[in-house]
Amino acid sequence: DFNGISYKATEIQFHTPSEHLIGSRNYDMEVEVIHYAMNREYQKKAILSFLYIQKDRNKTCVFVEWW
């Protein structure tokens, strides 16, 4: 629950490079977990974004920030 509204995670999206910037910096990958209000009356959604940077040439990414 957030502010009395229940949300359910329904989508996961991957973006390379990231769609969002922090301090004008672009990241190698962004994972967005999209939640929609379970009560259709509210028509709201909440999105959690996780930003990753590439650790090495083998394309291993490490978590650096959530937004």
Side-chain angles (χ1 to χ4, degrees), residues 3-67:
N3 288 335
I5 301 171
S6 294
Y7 291 84
K8 181 179 180 180
T10 58
E11 294 178 45
I12 297 176
Q13 296 181 358
F14 298 87
H15 305 282
T16 55
S18 66
E19 284 190 329
H20 296 92
L21 308 174
I22 294 181
S24 71
R25 180 177 178 191
N26 196 296
Y27 290 83
D28 296 319
M29 183 173 75
E30 179 175 357
V31 177
E32 292 181 329
V33 183
I34 302 171
H35 302 74
Y36 288 93
M38 294 181 68
N39 183 342
R40 293 180 187 258
E41 171 185 332
Y42 293 109
Q43 299 288 319
K44 293 187 177 188
K45 64 181 174 180
I47 301 172
L48 295 176
S49 290
F50 301 89
L51 301 173
Y52 294 82
I53 57 171
Q54 186 174 330
K55 183 178 177 182
D56 55 37
R57 282 192 271 161
N58 293 326
K59 304 282 185 196
T60 302
C61 287
V62 293
F63 170 74
V64 290
E65 189 74 56
W66 69 276
W67 188 75

